[in-house]
């Protein structure tokens, strides 16, 4: 009898370990394409060779794996009923450039093109992207990510590819607010953990920019995403929120879609948005980051990025980003 | 079954009051039919409320019809795959866990008790995060250890810890639901009368043979409805894997909603899809339950 | 009688918590002998029977069944192999029948043969049918227990035990859960076994039956054997006042 119990407990442990280690054995075949994670499945080279170069590895692989959460139109959104190109090199659990669209997606495809690669996308949650420690699951994030000191602890940033002006939006019915400083002490919504949150709590610091905190003692109301905050604001002036702090393009788009909102004053600060690369990649990412910066600088120089900015936002959001001195980041 | 009584018993003199029995049966059948009709009416009225709610919120039916197939085809596929695979592994874990909980061995008791306590006591979402983000770091440390010890195979082992989103989700759901279901299995195994155990061991069956041949087959019948319940809950909890970028139902609905600012439409479409999935699961569970109760029908 | 008894129990103690249920009982059963245990509820007679095949683990004492001797002491776990050897030589019949409800009658009867003795299925079925015929229930071979009467269930349970070909049958109040009109069919089966020379220990409240089939009767009270003897003498003229006390009201209403 005793032996049986020991056997049972060993089985429990083994199954836990098996589940942990040999995940491949646990999930059905159809969810497990044989080459979905080319980094890990190259048996010939040990994963921990510090001399190995991230750029060389990506170039050898032939695809650039980009993370982008299609939750943020017009930067990134999904394409209904898209057809995957037949000749794609992307793994089955990666998305092709046909299945996603938006400013970030176009930028990603252009970066990949200039590297001679095909862009393939994975779509993890924003929290997982900014957390770093990507375990080599993807190469870079092209997700309109603002350069912040906190993120720089985990991530390297390329030359920014555009900027986002942050602006306050209020309900159209409102007449009492005329400028952002009128919002002191008011109930303001924004996404939790993002730069707007940090701005309202006066902890935001953007490398290369002097920030002027105009609003005091805001009653912060956190949202999973900006669009929920805008939805709540649209319910009525002061119903749930007095104002929302969000990206100017996001707010403008909400207005264009018919929400009863208006922008309050000029943008309060600018965010520099760049591609991000995990510092914890198992292969040295230094030359990869450099190469990305070069490519993005080229895209600024030849007007490609300006063109995309005009296409998606009807605005020039890129010139300031092209002028940004990436060496100021000191990474 | 009442219907069987309609033919008079063989070999007995005819009952002079036979018609009374027939009348009674007919009356009972009529009452049952009236009850079903009344229930159907209540359902229709409630559905009417739901539909009028949709009309109040200016629900865009055309948009839903246009996009339903795309959302469901891609989304439901992953929801179903992930929940089916996870309930399978959760069931195995629950069985092992329950055997551990019921054993007298200190190691088995310790492991199963710790397992249930840990995975039932922490949120599924955090388990997903830890498995997805944390395990690769364990693998990395292993690889580093291997490099310093001159054991290159450890880096291969380390790579196994980098789970894909689907694998992480299945692992987290299996472990989490396995812990809940351990208690269900334990109660199910314990609910079998001790006389069954005594009869089996008297015949010379070992403890494991007794569980496998006598206790488990009877317990399964009691446990199946609870597994069905857990499966239904799991289908909805499987939406948590969307944080890793798996395009299951909730993810698809959410991202479509953001694209076209059609939140109510997409959320309600997803809700309806989950509802239909769970109705199908309940029906399948009922079929299974009926099959297993064959031995218990007079 | 043989020199070596089939069953020899020496100084058997059983504690349930701080309750001393068996206080050092010793007894023997010879081959082909039928021993009947009588006594009040809670006297320890069922516990004593259940200790013989280790359904209850004896707290102390020695149990010998056939060639297997198992010594029990507080804090010492008997060997699983020895327990199995004892159980394979004893057949147990319970008050509540304990048929396996998810198996048909024939599956119940051959379960021990196929799972424990690893007998091939066709051979086991032939074997099982033989014993079903013996208890008169061959025609019920493919029904589930729920469709049997109590008496039929108990007869199947007896066939299930007999199929294992034990050296001794243990009956733990085999008719106590039965409706009065169904008791006879079960007693008839047991009686027939007795005539064929099966060694048995029977715990029962059926005094007439006890007198009829018993080679020896034992009266237990408070965990000790108060008196034992030949059935006719014991029922007619019990020596011990405690036995008298127990049998008196029974004799008043039944002719023994």
């Amino acid at each position: 009898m005793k032996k049986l119990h020991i056997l049972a407990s060993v089985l429990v442990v083994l199954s836990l370990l098996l589940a942990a280690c040999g995940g491949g054995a646990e999930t059905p075949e159809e969810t497990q394409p044989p080459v979905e994670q080319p980094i890990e499945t190259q048996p010939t080279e040990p994963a921990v060779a510090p001399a190995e170069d991230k750029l060389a590895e990506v170039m050898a692989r032939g695809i650039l794996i980009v993370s982008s959460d299609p939750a943020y139109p017009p930067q990134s959104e999904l394409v209904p009923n898209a057809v995957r190109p037949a000749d794609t090199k992307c793994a089955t659990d990666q998305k092709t450039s046909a299945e996603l669209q938006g400013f970030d997606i176009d930028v990603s495809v252009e970066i990949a093109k200039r590297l001679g690669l095909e862009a393939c996308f994975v779509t993890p949650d924003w929290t997982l992207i900014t957390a770093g420690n990507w375990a080599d699951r993807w190469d870079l994030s092209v997700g309109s990510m603002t350069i912040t000191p906190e993120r720089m602890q985990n991530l390297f940033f390329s030359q920014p590819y555009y900027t986002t002006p942050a602006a306050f939006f209020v309900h159209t019915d409102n007449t009492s607010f005329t400028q952002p400083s009128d919002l002191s002490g008011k109930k303001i919504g924004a996404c939790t953990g993002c730069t707007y949150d940090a701005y309202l709590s006066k902890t935001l610091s953007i490398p290369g920019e002097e920030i002027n905190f105009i609003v005091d003692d805001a009653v912060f109301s956190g949202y999973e995403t900006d669009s929920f905050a805008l939805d709540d604001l649209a319910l009525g002036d002061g119903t749930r929120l007095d104002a929302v702090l969000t990206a100017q393009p996001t707010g403008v788009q909400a207005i264009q879609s018919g929400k009863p909102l208006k922008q309050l004053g000029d943008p309060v600060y600018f965010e520099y948005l760049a591609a991000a690369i995990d510092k914890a990649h198992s292969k040295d990412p230094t030359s990869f980051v450099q190469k990305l910066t070069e490519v993005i600088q080229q895209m600024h120089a030849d007007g490609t990025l300006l063109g995309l900015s005009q296409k998606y936002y009807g605005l020039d959001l890129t010139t300031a980003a092209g002028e940004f001195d990436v060496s100021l980041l000191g990474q | 079954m009442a219907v069987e009584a309609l033919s008079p018993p063989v070999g007995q003199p005819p009952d002079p009051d036979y018609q009374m029995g027939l009348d009674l049966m007919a009356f009972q059948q009529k009452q049952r039919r009236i009850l079903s009709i009344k229930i159907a009416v209540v359902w229709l009225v409630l559905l009417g409320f739901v539909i009028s709610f949709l009309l109040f919120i200016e629900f865009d039916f055309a948009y839903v019809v246009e996009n339903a197939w795309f959302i469901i085809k891609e989304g439901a596929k992953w929801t179903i795959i992930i929940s089916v695979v996870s309930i399978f592994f959760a069931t195995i874990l629950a069985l092992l866990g329950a055997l551990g909980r019921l054993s007298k061995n200190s190691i088995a008791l310790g492991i199963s008790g710790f397992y249930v306590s840990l995975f039932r006591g922490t949120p599924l979402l955090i388990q997903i995060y830890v498995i997805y983000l944390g395990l690769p770091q364990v693998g990395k440390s292993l690889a580093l250890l291997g490099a310093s010890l001159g054991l290159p195979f450890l880096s291969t082992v380390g790579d196994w810890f980098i789970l894909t989103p689907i694998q992480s989700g299945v692992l987290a759901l299996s472990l989490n639901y396995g812990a809940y279901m351990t208690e269900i299995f334990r109660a199910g195994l314990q609910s079998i009368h001790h006389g069954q155990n005594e009869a089996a061991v008297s015949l010379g069956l070992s403890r494991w043979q007794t569980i496998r041949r006598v206790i488990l087959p009877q317990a399964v019948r009691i446990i199946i409805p609870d597994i069905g319940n857990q499966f239904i809950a799991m289908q909805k909890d499987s939406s948590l894997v969307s944080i890793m970028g798996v395009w299951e139902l909730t993810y698809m609905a959410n991202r479509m909603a953001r694209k076209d600012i059609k939140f109510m439409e997409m959320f309600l479409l997803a809700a309806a899809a989950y509802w239909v999935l769970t109705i199908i699961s309940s029906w399948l569970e009922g079929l299974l339950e009926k099959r297993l109760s064959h031995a218990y029908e007079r | 009688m043989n020199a070596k008894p089939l069953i020899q129990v020496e100084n058997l103690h059983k504690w349930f918590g701080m309750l001393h249920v068996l206080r050092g009982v010793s007894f023997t059963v010879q081959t082909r002998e039928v021993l009947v245990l009588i006594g009040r509820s809670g006297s320890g007679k069922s516990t004593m029977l259940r200790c013989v095949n280790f359904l209850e683990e004896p707290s102390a004492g020695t149990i010998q069944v056939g060639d297997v001797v198992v010594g029990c002491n507080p804090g010492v776990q008997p060997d699983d192999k020895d327990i199995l050897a004892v159980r394979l030589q004893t057949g147990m019949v319970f008050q509540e029948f304990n048929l396996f409800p998810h198996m048909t009658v024939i599956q119940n009867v051959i379960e021990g043969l196929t799972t424990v003795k690893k007998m091939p299925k066709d051979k086991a079925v032939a074997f099982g049918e033989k014993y079903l015929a013996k208890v008169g229930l061959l025609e019920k071979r493919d029904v589930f227990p729920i469709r049997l009467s109590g008496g039929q269930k108990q007869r199947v349970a007896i066939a299930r035990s007999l199929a294992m070909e034990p050296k001794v049958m243990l009956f733990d109040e085999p008719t106590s859960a039965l409706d009065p009109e169904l008791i006879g069919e079960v007693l008839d089966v047991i009686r027939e076994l007795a005539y064929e020379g099966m060694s048995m220990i029977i715990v029962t409240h059926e005094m007439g039956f006890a007198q009829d089939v018993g080679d020896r009767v034992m009266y237990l009270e408070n965990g000790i054997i108060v008196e034992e003897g030949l059935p006719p003498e014991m029922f007619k003229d019990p020596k011990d006042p405690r036995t008298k006390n127990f049998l008196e009201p029974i004799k008043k209403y039944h002719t023994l």
Side-chain angles (χ1 to χ4, degrees):
Chain A
M1 272 194 252
K2 276 191 172 171
K3 278 179 200 152
L4 175 73
H5 299 322
I6 294 172
L7 183 72
S9 40
V10 167
L11 277 174
V12 172
V13 174
L14 274 183
S15 58
L16 289 179
L17 281 178
L18 272 178
C21 315
E26 240 210 281
T27 33
E29 291 298 320
E30 63 268 27
T31 71
Q32 286 305 304
V35 286
E36 68 188 332
Q37 294 258 351
I39 314 166
E40 285 82 43
T41 50
Q42 288 179 356
T44 44
E45 34 188 317
V48 279
E52 291 248 15
D53 184 61
K54 180 75 194 167
L55 180 63
E57 187 224 23
V58 172
M59 299 304 288
R61 193 203 302 138
I63 60 169
L64 183 68
I65 307 171
V66 183
S67 70
S68 171
D69 187 354
Y72 304 96
Q75 287 96 301
S76 176
E77 60 189 275
L78 49 78
V79 179
N81 302 305
V83 180
R84 282 170 78 94
D87 60 342
T88 181
K89 282 183 272 179
C90 303
T92 50
D93 66 347
Q94 293 164 356
K95 300 295 165 186
T96 61
S97 52
E99 290 159 280
L100 297 165
Q101 62 190 11
F103 180 70
D104 286 345
I105 305 302
D106 282 0
V107 171
S108 309
V109 169
E110 186 63 27
I111 291 172
K113 201 171 99 188
R114 290 182 189 218
L115 292 170
L117 304 169
E118 180 183 357
C120 300
F121 296 89
V122 291
T123 59
D125 196 72
W126 181 245
T127 343
L128 294 176
I129 298 174
T130 52
N133 284 310
W134 298 344
D136 298 337
R137 286 172 171 124
W138 57 89
D139 300 323
L140 77 160
S141 151
V142 182
S144 301
M145 192 190 290
T146 306
I147 304 170
T148 66
E150 295 79 27
R151 288 174 184 157
M152 285 179 67
Q153 289 171 11
N154 291 327
L155 305 172
F156 290 125
F157 286 97
S158 70
Q159 177 76 33
Y161 58 93
Y162 73 126
T163 61
T164 301
F168 284 102
F169 289 83
V170 294
H171 198 273
T172 42
D173 292 348
N174 182 277
T175 50
S176 52
F177 307 133
T178 55
Q179 53 189 4
S181 55
D182 296 340
L183 292 171
S184 292
K186 299 297 175 194
K187 196 163 168 61
I188 301 175
C191 44
T192 308
C194 58
T195 58
Y196 312 118
D197 181 351
Y199 178 83
L200 292 171
S201 59
K202 300 192 176 185
T203 55
L204 181 65
S205 103
I206 295 178
E209 190 181 4
E210 182 96 356
I211 294 175
N212 186 12
F213 297 104
I214 307 170
V215 176
D216 298 312
D217 306 320
V219 181
F220 175 69
S221 186
Y223 287 83
E224 193 200 334
T225 69
D226 303 48
S227 51
F228 289 156
L230 290 168
D231 285 347
D232 266 5
L233 180 61
L235 291 174
D237 180 31
T239 305
R240 284 190 185 158
L241 294 173
D242 295 311
V244 167
L245 178 59
T246 185
Q248 189 187 21
T250 308
V252 167
Q253 208 217 3
I255 292 168
Q256 282 165 356
S257 77
K259 291 231 160 70
L261 307 174
K262 61 182 180 186
Q263 186 179 332
L264 185 66
D266 290 330
V268 285
Y269 65 93
F270 288 85
E271 300 180 45
Y272 292 99
L273 311 172
I277 299 95
D278 187 11
K279 281 188 175 176
H281 270 305
S282 65
K283 294 174 178 117
D284 183 5
T286 316
S287 57
F288 183 51
V289 178
Q290 255 164 21
K291 186 73 187 173
L292 284 172
T293 289
E294 274 170 37
V295 168
I296 290 169
Q297 281 168 348
Q298 272 176 27
M299 286 162 64
H300 277 299
D302 63 17
T304 309
L305 284 168
L306 180 60
L308 288 173
S309 169
Q310 296 284 6
K311 174 181 166 193
Y312 282 98
Y313 304 102
L315 296 163
D316 171 14
L317 298 174
T318 60
T319 302
E323 289 160 359
F324 186 86
D325 182 0
V326 77
S327 68
L328 283 178
L329 297 179
Q331 51 187 9
Chain B
M1 301 286 267
V3 188
E4 284 171 29
L6 282 172
S7 54
V10 191
Q12 277 181 26
D15 185 343
D17 298 323
Y18 189 65
Q19 189 56 40
M20 191 194 289
L22 286 180
D23 290 348
L24 210 60
M25 295 289 300
F27 176 70
Q28 284 169 353
Q29 248 172 21
K30 192 179 153 199
Q31 289 225 306
R32 271 197 297 272
R33 216 173 300 131
I34 291 173
L35 183 68
S36 331
I37 291 170
K38 283 179 177 168
I39 292 172
V41 169
V42 172
W43 272 68
L44 284 175
V45 169
L46 292 175
L47 266 177
F49 281 137
V50 173
I51 290 169
S52 52
F53 167 76
L54 297 182
L55 294 175
F56 271 120
I57 60 169
E58 292 171 3
F59 193 80
D60 188 345
F61 280 103
Y63 178 80
V64 170
V65 170
E66 189 188 329
N67 291 290
W69 178 238
F70 167 61
I71 304 283
I72 289 169
K73 180 187 65 177
E74 178 78 13
K77 179 180 84 183
W78 288 112
T79 298
I80 292 170
I81 288 175
I82 288 169
S83 359
V84 168
V85 175
S86 301
I87 201 79
F88 174 75
F89 286 106
T91 305
I92 292 175
L93 281 172
L95 178 59
L96 292 173
L99 293 180
R101 296 280 272 173
L102 293 174
S103 90
K104 286 169 188 148
N105 179 278
S106 56
I107 297 174
L109 269 171
I111 291 176
S112 54
F114 183 79
Y115 162 62
V116 170
S117 175
L118 180 66
F119 282 93
R120 218 169 49 153
T122 52
L124 177 58
L125 182 61
I126 291 176
Q127 288 164 15
I128 291 176
Y129 275 130
V130 169
I131 287 167
Y132 184 76
L133 289 176
L135 280 187
Q137 299 191 36
V138 175
K140 206 169 176 182
S141 307
L142 266 186
L144 284 174
L145 186 74
S148 64
L149 295 177
L151 300 168
F153 77 93
L154 276 183
S155 79
T156 316
V157 174
D159 286 347
W160 294 344
F161 283 75
I162 304 173
L163 301 186
T164 65
I166 307 260
Q167 290 167 343
S168 308
V170 165
L171 180 59
L173 282 168
S174 304
L175 286 170
N176 186 277
Y177 275 76
Y180 278 99
M181 287 161 58
T182 290
E183 292 302 290
I184 292 173
F185 272 59
R186 186 173 67 106
L189 291 173
Q190 278 179 325
S191 73
I192 303 306
H193 191 262
H194 62 91
Q196 292 292 311
N197 183 53
E198 291 184 350
V201 298
S202 295
L203 288 175
L205 271 71
S206 68
R207 191 172 152 80
W208 172 239
Q209 285 170 335
T210 301
I211 288 171
R212 188 170 52 89
R213 302 279 310 163
V214 176
I215 307 297
L216 203 53
Q218 297 181 54
V220 161
R221 192 175 139 256
I222 296 166
I223 295 169
I224 282 286
D226 291 310
I227 296 181
N229 239 340
Q230 294 290 314
F231 184 55
I232 283 172
M234 185 184 267
Q235 283 168 18
K236 291 172 285 176
D237 269 353
S238 70
S239 66
L240 288 173
V241 304
S242 66
I243 60 164
M244 294 174 294
V246 178
W247 290 31
E248 48 66 68
L249 257 177
T250 304
Y251 185 95
M252 295 297 292
N254 180 298
R255 296 309 189 265
M256 270 309 280
R258 288 181 182 207
K259 173 177 154 52
D260 296 329
I261 326 285
K262 293 283 185 190
F263 284 93
M264 266 306 145
E265 283 78 3
M266 285 296 101
F267 285 159
L268 290 177
L269 172 66
Y274 280 113
W275 196 12
V276 170
L277 278 181
T278 59
I279 287 170
I280 294 172
S281 318
S282 317
W283 175 70
L284 288 174
E285 187 264 312
L287 283 187
L288 192 59
E289 209 179 321
K290 207 165 177 185
R291 246 185 86 98
L292 288 171
S293 64
H294 169 60
Y296 299 84
E297 282 162 5
R298 277 177 188 277
Chain C
M1 294 242 175
N2 292 339
K4 194 183 172 196
L6 176 60
I7 292 180
Q8 180 153 18
V9 172
E10 272 169 29
N11 200 24
L12 171 63
H13 287 264
K14 178 63 187 177
W15 289 80
F16 287 121
M18 280 312 293
L19 202 63
H20 202 173
V21 179
L22 291 176
R23 304 164 180 249
V25 296
S26 304
F27 65 93
T28 58
V29 178
Q30 303 294 337
T31 305
R32 304 177 73 84
E33 188 184 19
V34 178
L35 172 65
V36 178
L37 305 180
I38 59 171
R40 298 173 201 281
S41 297
S43 60
K45 56 189 192 310
S46 275
T47 306
M48 193 167 104
L49 185 76
R50 289 159 59 85
C51 277
V52 171
N53 78 341
F54 291 88
L55 279 183
E56 303 293 352
E57 201 173 285
S59 304
T62 310
I63 310 267
Q64 175 237 307
V65 179
D67 300 326
V68 187
V69 184
V70 190
C72 299
N73 284 300
V76 183
Q77 286 239 315
D79 196 78
D80 281 355
K81 264 190 216 124
D82 289 340
I83 293 180
L84 180 62
V86 167
R87 284 177 177 161
L88 286 178
Q89 298 181 74
T90 55
M92 184 85 184
V93 175
F94 301 87
Q95 181 180 336
E96 301 285 350
F97 333 126
N98 295 339
L99 290 183
F100 306 133
H102 59 299
M103 299 181 186
T104 61
V105 163
I106 189 74
Q107 286 169 340
N108 263 278
V109 175
I110 67 170
E111 177 59 28
L113 298 174
T114 52
T115 304
V116 181
K117 294 195 168 172
K118 308 291 177 204
M119 192 184 277
K121 182 128 188 266
D122 48 344
K123 201 178 155 200
V125 168
F127 228 77
E129 283 174 346
K130 185 176 111 190
Y131 284 100
L132 274 182
K134 192 178 179 69
V135 299
L137 286 173
L138 188 52
E139 83 278 9
K140 298 285 186 189
R141 75 186 288 278
D142 292 319
V143 307
F144 284 100
I146 196 157
R147 306 192 72 152
L148 299 178
S149 73
Q152 290 172 330
K153 282 182 193 167
Q154 193 60 298
R155 283 150 68 198
V156 172
I158 293 171
R160 179 173 69 178
S161 289
L162 287 175
M164 296 296 283
E165 308 210 305
K167 287 184 179 159
V168 57
M169 288 288 286
L170 312 176
F171 291 89
D172 188 0
E173 303 194 23
T175 58
S176 295
L178 294 176
D179 291 339
E181 77 275 16
L182 301 174
I183 291 175
E185 59 185 86
V186 173
L187 295 184
D188 285 347
V189 168
I190 302 174
R191 192 174 283 123
E192 198 188 316
L193 288 175
Y195 293 152
E196 287 172 7
M198 172 59 84
S199 313
M200 297 191 266
I201 306 178
I202 306 173
V203 173
T204 187
H205 293 294
E206 298 288 328
M207 296 304 160
F209 169 72
Q211 196 172 348
D212 188 11
V213 301
D215 294 317
R216 202 147 46 91
V217 183
M218 224 177 241
Y219 174 70
L220 271 83
E221 192 172 305
N222 288 328
I224 54 167
I225 298 169
V226 170
E227 185 173 351
E228 65 171 288
L230 299 175
E233 293 165 17
M234 187 132 145
F235 285 114
K236 204 172 291 172
D237 185 22
K239 304 275 178 309
D240 196 285
R242 288 170 288 182
T243 319
K244 235 177 238 170
N245 208 2
F246 171 69
L247 286 174
E248 209 60 50
I250 300 174
K251 283 203 277 192
K252 208 167 156 186
Y253 295 105
H254 300 267
T255 28
L256 290 176

